[in-house]
Amino acid sequence: MALADTELGGSTCGDSGSPFSEIIELNVGGQVYVTRHKTLIAVPDSLLWNMFSKKSPKELARDSKGRYFLDRDGFLFRYILDYLRDLNLVLPDYFPEKSRLQREADFFQLRDLAKRLSPRVSKDNSISEEISQSDTEEGAQQCGSSGTMETLRTMTVSSSGTMRSPSLDSRKSGYITIGYRGSYTIGRDIQTDAKFRRVARITVCGKTSLAKEVFGETLNESRDPDRPPERYTSRYYLKYNFLEQAFDKLTEAGFHMVACSSTGTCAYTSNDPNEDKIWTSYTEYVFCRE
């Protein structure tokens, strides 16, 4: 028996005469969320409150499976939903996406959340930023106050006599590895029918801080979102599929290629001599900045 229109995107009937189900399924930028109807309408006059209390289910966009669709950042929506559950904001210790989350809060018309996420301005009109602790600083704290003082002594003195961090004088050295899986087809006439290098996804491996410095907003962190700056990851990938674009960004940041390797296998072949052979490959490029 087919579901009624009011039950699409949910599982049980809502109360208080609402046309929406008590359990709501959402597709936010490709990420699926399941929550209660009362959670979505927790903040009066917000965008979600207007959608799920002032409109009918027929007026809202759906995906192919009947879930309510929102064309927003699917990863950051988890924090929007957490806030709606108890009107509390709890973020990871290392969270570099505050400005983007503030933009999402503004879009969903969550004024109190957007206000909490806005940068604090000090008396001299300078914006104060939270400083994330690196692994070295964490180790210094574990060693006690003497270790912390020793860490502070590593600060260098510039020619003007002011204290300055070594990272401001020179960029960090390190390695970044770019990898991709690709496929290509070799036809009967190898000179004219070759369809070369279809890149599915470009992966990024290395220290988190270096990867973010080089690739910025083009770095997709959805598979490893809470990685501290000085830790290593192999789960980032790029939001585009052009290797040359990645190489350009690395070159602009002072990196140069030091090694590469590639493997290839025949993924599909047919006994029919008229059919093309499809090959797959995996390639890694190692870049270094000294």
Side-chain angles (χ1 to χ4, degrees), residues 12-118:
T12 57
C13 296
D15 41 23
S16 303
S18 171
F20 291 95
S21 301
E22 179 187 358
I23 305 300
I24 302 290
E25 290 187 26
L26 302 170
N27 177 348
V28 185
Q31 300 290 326
V32 176
Y33 292 90
V34 181
T35 187
R36 291 184 178 275
H37 176 254
K38 66 179 183 180
T39 300
L40 297 175
I41 61 173
V43 178
D45 297 322
S46 66
L47 178 67
L48 292 171
W49 181 85
N50 277 289
M51 289 176 60
F52 291 95
S53 64
K54 294 297 184 180
K55 294 185 178 182
S56 68
K58 291 183 178 180
E59 296 178 85
L60 302 181
R62 308 284 189 98
D63 67 7
S64 60
K65 295 186 178 180
R67 295 175 291 227
Y68 297 105
F69 178 74
L70 293 167
D71 189 16
R72 300 301 297 179
D73 190 311
F75 161 66
L76 292 177
F77 188 76
R78 61 187 287 198
Y79 299 106
I80 298 292
L81 200 57
D82 280 346
Y83 173 77
L84 291 174
R85 290 185 177 119
D86 55 13
L87 301 184
N88 239 348
L89 176 63
V90 180
L91 297 176
D93 291 336
Y94 303 95
F95 188 75
E97 308 287 351
K98 274 192 176 181
S99 60
R100 293 176 61 185
L101 182 56
Q102 183 187 0
R103 183 179 64 186
E104 295 300 302
D106 287 331
F107 174 82
F108 286 106
Q109 299 170 15
L110 299 170
R111 297 177 182 84
D112 183 62
L113 177 59
K115 185 177 179 181
R116 296 188 196 185
L117 291 166
S118 61

Side-chain angles (χ1 to χ4, degrees), residues 128-141:
S128 60
E129 297 287 347
E130 293 183 4
I131 301 176
S132 298
Q133 291 178 324
S134 67
D135 294 349
T136 305
E137 291 170 328
E138 291 173 357
Q141 287 183 351

Side-chain angles (χ1 to χ4, degrees), residues 259-282:
C260 69
S261 64
S262 181
T263 59
T265 58
C266 186
Y268 171 78
T269 184
S270 172
N271 293 327
D272 187 350
N274 295 321
E275 293 226 2
D276 296 341
K277 292 183 178 180
I278 300 176
W279 294 75
T280 62
S281 65
Y282 178 73

Side-chain angles (χ1 to χ4, degrees), residues 3 11 26 49 146 150 154 179 204 212 219 246 280:
L3 289 173
S11 59
L26 302 170
W49 181 85
S146 60
E150 189 63 30
T154 62
V204 178
K212 291 182 179 180
L219 190 70
T280 62

